[in-house]
Amino acid sequence: MLAIRDLDHLVLRVRDLERMLGFYCGVLGCILERRRDDIGLVQLRAGRAMLDLVPVDGPLGRAGGAAPGAEGRNLDHFCFRVEPFDEAAIRAHLTAQGVEAGPAEMRFGAEGEGPSIYVTDPEGNVVELKGQANGRV
């Protein structure tokens, strides 16, 4: 039997790489780890995990079919665990970046029930920003 510990990485197929880099690095604070333009792959450090961005017009992206859109999303949402979860500070940062955030709600995740906020990246992917389990909203 396998013993899964963490999310290692997530791959998003993207239409506008620079805009997505602006969101994930500029807004959410991911760090550019590695770039392979020859195959169409940009890898970002997201805490202990990685987020890979694959432009749909690059070699890897073309192999995946049509671009994500209203008729074909890549996924429902994914979640980044953030610490500390200071709702006011998170909202102020997002607002300053022009990003709208949903209401903070208690939601269940890998560590249990904790506060979280949903945001949407420039290409319509929903990202959950989740605080410590058993925290207060």
Side-chain angles (χ1 to χ4, degrees), residues 107-127:
R107 296 184 175 96
F108 190 78
E111 299 175 347
E113 194 85 14
S116 76
I117 295 173
Y118 286 128
V119 298
T120 303
D121 77 15
E123 294 193 2
N125 297 296
V126 177
V127 182

Side-chain angles (χ1 to χ4, degrees), residues 62-137:
R62 283 191 298 271
E71 296 79 34
R73 292 176 55 190
N74 284 339
L75 59 108
D76 179 73
H77 79 276
F78 64 94
C79 180
F80 286 139
R81 170 71 163 75
V82 296
E83 194 167 299
F85 188 89
D86 178 338
E87 182 183 355
I90 291 170
R91 283 190 184 285
H93 173 71
L94 293 171
T95 298
Q97 297 292 321
V99 176
E100 290 187 38
E105 296 182 17
M106 296 297 285
R107 296 184 175 96
F108 190 78
E111 299 175 347
E113 194 85 14
S116 76
I117 295 173
Y118 286 128
V119 298
T120 303
D121 77 15
E123 294 193 2
N125 297 296
V126 177
V127 182
E128 181 178 357
L129 306 173
K130 190 158 185 349
Q132 181 176 1
N134 303 315
R136 296 186 189 274
V137 175

